[in-house]
């Protein structure tokens, strides 16, 4: 394993940096977009297709489906860079939860043409519809049912807090096809078009720090053909776990990027803000906050790169993904807290932006599995002798 960055990756990272600074941030200012409200769909599609032109969108998907063919570790490096900038298009620059995912490599040739390829080109977006009002971390408690019919399946149920549900052109919907088997072979993933009868209503959620990025999706007697099953019937939960483990590492990379932004803003403020005749950065208590933030940031970066490298090598990363997500998501919350302390009253002002990052970072310890669930998963690996010294 090595951490050197190739010239090509450095060039791609610089392209991303210029794209954010010279195009996206001016665009959101020109359009007077609220930083915590999902932009209009047409602007998001413009960003996706422009990102694709620059070789940024779906960079880690195989070239055979139109992706960049780059390692997952490079994608994580780009995620860090993207989230170190303050843009409302954070979910569209590289292809976030609403974009292409390796899970869709399970598509049949016909499904690739209809769903995956337009998604990789940035022409469409999707959503990962797993969570329900009564089933979050416990995917085995899903209540959405897929009843067998003559032509396929009839889906009924509600999905909640689904990222990009409001604007998605199609959804990856997880439903119970065999209640007796449940999580052990009874959950199937369906590709469901937005214009399918019975799809909707879709209601946007107002979450802490966000509006319109998440939503509730209701399916009522929604008829889906058998050929819209993604992968194998009954094995949908395996697809879901692959998506979740990958996204836990990407979320860690995003948290690293946000922490970089907080550390940069806090360091600048500590250098420029004067109290009692001297910069507040001369105060050792402020210095300690900056030093701790920087040290934990270094550790978080290392964790992300290690977990991403393992995934590139085809090594099982379930425990490492949980550790990475746990540490990085809690780090960014600590960093946001300390950034407000360093900025003092100015950190609480809406126009400063720090208080918004404080609110938005809070969700990172919840999505893709709460911190408590991560700890349970890690401890189980240890107790079963599947990780570290216990596995030696």
């Amino acid at each position: 394993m090595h951490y050197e960055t190739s010239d090509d990756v450095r060039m791609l990272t610089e392209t991303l940096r210029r794209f954010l600074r010279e195009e996206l941030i001016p665009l959101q200012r020109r359009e007077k977009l609220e930083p915590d409200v999902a932009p209009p769909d047409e602007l998001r599609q413009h960003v996706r297709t422009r990102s694709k032109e620059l070789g940024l969108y779906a960079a880690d998907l195989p070239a055979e489906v139109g992706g960049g063919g780059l390692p997952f570790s490079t994608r994580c490096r780009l995620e860090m860079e993207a989230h170190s900038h303050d843009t409302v298009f954070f979910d569209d620059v590289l292809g976030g939860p609403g974009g292409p995912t390796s899970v869709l490599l399970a598509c049949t040739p016909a499904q690739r043409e209809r769903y995956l390829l337009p998604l990789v080109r940035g022409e469409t977006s999707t959503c990962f519809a797993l969570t329900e009002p009564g089933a979050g971390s416990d995917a085995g408690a899903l209540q959405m049912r897929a009843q067998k019919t003559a032509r396929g399946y009839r889906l009924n149920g509600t999905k909640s807090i689904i990222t990009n549900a409001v604007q998605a052109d199609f959804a990856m919907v997880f439903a119970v096809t065999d209640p007796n088997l449940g999580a052990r072979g009874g959950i199937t993933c369906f590709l469901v078009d937005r214009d399918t009868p019975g799809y909707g209503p879709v209601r946007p959620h107002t979450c802490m720090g966000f509006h319109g990025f998440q939503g509730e999706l209701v399916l009522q007697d929604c008829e889906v053909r058998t050929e819209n099953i993604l992968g194998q019937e009954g094995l949908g939960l395996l697809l879901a776990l692959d998506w979740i483990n990958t996204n836990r590492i990407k979320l860690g990379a995003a948290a690293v990027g946000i922490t970089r932004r907080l550390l940069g803003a806090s360091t600048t403020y500590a250098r420029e803000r004067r109290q009692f005749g001297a910069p507040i950065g001369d105060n050792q208590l402020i210095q300690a906050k900056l030093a701790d933030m920087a040290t934990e940031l270094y550790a978080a970066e290392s964790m992300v790169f290690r977990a991403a490298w393992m995934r590139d090598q085809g090594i099982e990363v379930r425990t490492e993904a949980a550790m990475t997500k746990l540490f990085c998501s809690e780090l960014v919350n600590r960093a946001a807290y300390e950034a407000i302390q360093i900025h003092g009253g100015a950190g609480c002002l809406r126009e400063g932006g720090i208080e918004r990052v404080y609110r938005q970072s809070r969700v990172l310890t919840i999505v893709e599995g709460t911190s408590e669930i991560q700890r349970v998963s890690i401890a189980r690996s240890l107790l079963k002798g599947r990780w570290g010294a216990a596995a030696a």
Side-chain angles (χ1 to χ4, degrees), residues 196-267:
T196 304
Y199 184 103
V202 182
R203 178 177 65 88
H205 289 312
T206 298
C207 296
M208 178 186 289
F210 302 94
H211 175 73
F213 286 97
Q214 295 84 23
E216 177 186 83
L217 168 62
V218 178
L219 299 185
Q220 300 174 311
D221 292 330
C222 185
E223 301 283 349
V224 180
R225 292 179 177 273
T226 302
E227 53 262 36
N228 278 48
I229 290 176
L230 179 64
Q232 297 183 46
E233 179 179 344
L235 300 184
L237 195 56
L238 293 178
L239 293 174
L241 291 174
D242 179 67
W243 189 91
I244 289 169
N245 287 332
T246 300
N247 267 39
R248 284 174 176 172
I249 301 173
K250 285 196 291 188
L251 187 145
V256 163
I258 297 169
T259 303
R260 286 179 181 173
R261 194 194 326 161
L262 290 166
L263 178 59
S266 298
T267 302

Side-chain angles (χ1 to χ4, degrees), residues 127-139 141-144 157-163 165 172-175 205 214-218 237 240 243-244 366-369:
C127 66
F128 190 81
L130 176 65
T131 303
E132 297 180 2
S137 299
D138 182 9
L142 291 182
Q143 294 299 305
M144 178 167 283
T158 300
K159 299 294 182 179
S160 64
I161 320 179
I162 304 301
T163 301
M172 293 176 278
V173 179
F174 293 81
H205 289 312
Q214 295 84 23
E216 177 186 83
L217 168 62
V218 178
L237 195 56
W243 189 91
I244 289 169
I366 298 173
V367 295
E368 317 305 354

Side-chain angles (χ1 to χ4, degrees), residues 273-312:
R273 172 67 167 169
R274 299 180 66 85
Q275 289 287 275
F276 305 104
I280 64 171
D282 287 356
N283 187 311
Q284 289 186 343
L285 289 176
I286 299 296
Q287 292 175 4
K289 293 180 186 296
L290 295 174
D292 288 347
M293 198 185 302
T295 301
E296 290 191 309
L297 175 59
Y298 175 61
E301 289 175 342
S302 300
M303 291 182 75
V304 172
F305 286 135
R306 169 71 179 179
W309 174 84
M310 289 178 65
R311 186 182 181 280
D312 283 333

Side-chain angles (χ1 to χ4, degrees), residues 102-147:
S102 59
V103 168
L104 288 170
L105 296 178
C107 282
T108 64
Q111 289 172 343
R112 281 192 176 192
E113 290 293 329
R114 182 174 177 84
Y115 297 105
L116 180 56
L117 299 187
L119 195 64
V120 171
R121 293 194 294 265
E123 299 167 357
T124 60
S125 69
T126 186
C127 66
F128 190 81
L130 176 65
T131 303
E132 297 180 2
S137 299
D138 182 9
L142 291 182
Q143 294 299 305
M144 178 167 283
R145 294 293 187 261
Q147 182 182 0

